[in-house]
Every structure is written in structure tokens, then in C-alpha cells.
Amino acid sequence: SQTIHQWPATLVQPVGSPLSLECTVEGTSNPNLYWYRQAAGRGLQLLFYSVGIGQISSEVPQNLSASRPQDRQFILSSKKLLLSDSGFYLCAWSVIGRAYEQYFGPGTRLTVT
Amino acid sequence: AQSVTQPDIHITVSEGASLELRCNYSYGATPYLFWYVQSPGQGLQLLLKYFSGDTLVQGIKGFEAEFKRSQSSFNLRKPSVHWSDAAEYFCAVAPLYGNKLVFGAGTILRVKS
């Protein structure tokens, strides 16, 4: 069966520091991968999605970036965090051709101080 | 543009009572429709999905949802709520040939004993 992992589970970082969040999927090949951010009371916002290695689509302009160095690995990064980057970050995957049916990881709680 | 409206931010029900969470969508054609549940600090779990066919769909944990084309609605129901159902519930839609889900803002369910 497929599983999706995210780490770290929680993170507290000062403003201006770099960020790296990692997501990996097991038990499937060539998945679509997604990064979402969930701010308190604001639902889920799609940040990036990827349909293959090195293929990243950005949904919202911001100081975050994403990379997909391996088929089942998706990384969310920032060079300098802002206070507004605080939130709950969720990674999700779907089967190619079934992008509408997504499965989510456990999430990373990021607090920027 | 597609949009999803969940008009109730919070709902409180007594344990054992019935539940209905509302979801309305705006889209030119019938999209794929989903309900997800999120326990505090956790990722999202898919409760049920509608693609086509029977407008009443059954999901996990005793939930069901009914698609009503005339009302552009996809309301979630459960005949008898358990305390463990307390969580946040998200309705989502996806276009037939798109790469992403569009989420509603969520409804927080509180269950009182």
C-alpha cells in the first residue's frame, strides 16, 4: 500500500532563516505531488504541484520554492522566512491521470518567530 | 473560476444526533466532488467521493453525501454522530481534466456529550 511521509512534524524558525520541508511517497511510482499551506481558519491553499521529476508548477507567488529531485521526493524551501509563512504545510500525492483524487501526508506545523 | 462554499464555519451537535454539513460549488459542468476530514494537527483523510452515477454516495465512518445538480450542492450527512467525529471537514471539487482540487474553507464540527 502507499504511504506518504513528511518531516519534520513541527518546526520553529526565526524570521529570515532558511526552510526545507521534505515529503516522500512509498508504494507508488511517478505520482503527482502537491504542497498545500493551511493557515488558521483559511482552508487549504495549493502552493505547488509536480507531474514529474524537475517539473514544478507554482500556484501562488511567494518567497517559497519547490523541487522534485527524485520521483517520490518533494521538497519545499525558502531562503528567508517571513512571519506570514507560519502555518500547517501538507503534502499530497495522486496517481497520474487521477489528479482529482489526492492523499495527504500528516503535515508539518511551521511557526516563524 | 471554480469555487466551493461551506457556509457554516462551526457546527455543534449532540452525540447521537444527526449531522448535515453543507457544501455548494460553482462550476460550469459537474465536477468531481469530495469530502475530507481533518483531526486536529493531522493530515486530511478522504471520506467519500462522487464522480458520476448514483447521487447518494457512501463513505467511511458511516458518512454519506448527496449530490444535487439543481442546487449545485454536495452535502455530507451522518445519522448519528459520535464524539470521535469532532474534526474539521472540507468539501473539495476538481474539474474533469484538471490537475488540482479546490477546497472550501472548512467546517469545524464540535460534538457535545
Side-chain angles (χ1 to χ4, degrees), chain B residues 67-85:
Chain B
F67 167 61
K68 293 186 177 179
R69 185 190 307 273
S70 61
Q71 298 176 21
S72 295
S73 69
F74 189 56
N75 294 349
L76 182 71
R77 301 195 295 244
K78 187 169 185 179
S80 177
V81 169
H82 187 262
W83 64 266
S84 60
D85 293 325

Side-chain angles (χ1 to χ4, degrees), chain B residues 8 11 13 18-22 68 75-78:
Chain B
D8 304 303
I11 281 186
V13 300
S18 63
L19 169 71
E20 183 169 29
L21 302 182
R22 296 183 290 165
K68 293 186 177 179
N75 294 349
L76 182 71
R77 301 195 295 244
K78 187 169 185 179

Side-chain angles (χ1 to χ4, degrees), chain A residues 32 34 36 38 42-44 46 49 51 59 88 90 98-106 109, chain B residues 32 34 36 38 41-44 46 49 51 88 90 94-96 98-101 103-105:
Chain A
N32 287 344
Y34 307 84
Y36 290 87
Q38 187 177 23
R42 296 184 61 185
L44 280 82
L46 178 63
Y49 70 90
V51 299
E59 289 293 302
F88 193 52
L90 289 159
R98 294 176 66 89
Y100 43 81
E101 191 169 345
Q102 297 179 20
Y103 298 91
F104 286 79
R109 171 72 60 192
Chain B
Y32 297 140
F34 305 84
Y36 286 85
Q38 184 181 32
Q42 303 295 316
L44 275 70
L46 180 63
K49 56 195 175 189
F51 294 158
E88 189 163 14
F90 293 92
L96 298 183
N99 273 328
K100 52 189 178 181
L101 288 168
F103 284 86

Side-chain angles (χ1 to χ4, degrees), chain B residues 38-74:
Chain B
Q38 184 181 32
S39 297
Q42 303 295 316
L44 275 70
Q45 182 181 21
L46 180 63
L47 277 178
L48 48 76
K49 56 195 175 189
Y50 173 78
F51 294 158
S52 65
D54 192 346
T55 57
L56 186 64
V57 293
Q58 302 297 320
I60 62 171
K61 304 186 179 187
F63 285 91
E64 65 179 27
E66 186 173 13
F67 167 61
K68 293 186 177 179
R69 185 190 307 273
S70 61
Q71 298 176 21
S72 295
S73 69
F74 189 56

Side-chain angles (χ1 to χ4, degrees), chain A residues 6-64:
Chain A
Q6 287 186 246
W7 61 89
T10 60
L11 190 60
V12 180
Q13 293 282 93
V15 168
S17 64
L19 173 73
S20 181
L21 303 182
E22 189 166 343
C23 169
T24 58
V25 181
E26 296 177 354
T28 187
S29 296
N30 200 24
N32 287 344
L33 295 170
Y34 307 84
W35 278 113
Y36 290 87
R37 177 168 58 202
Q38 187 177 23
R42 296 184 61 185
L44 280 82
Q45 179 186 39
L46 178 63
L47 301 175
F48 301 95
Y49 70 90
S50 172
V51 299
I53 295 174
Q55 301 179 62
I56 310 294
S57 296
S58 174
E59 289 293 302
V60 182
Q62 66 244 309
N63 70 321
L64 299 171

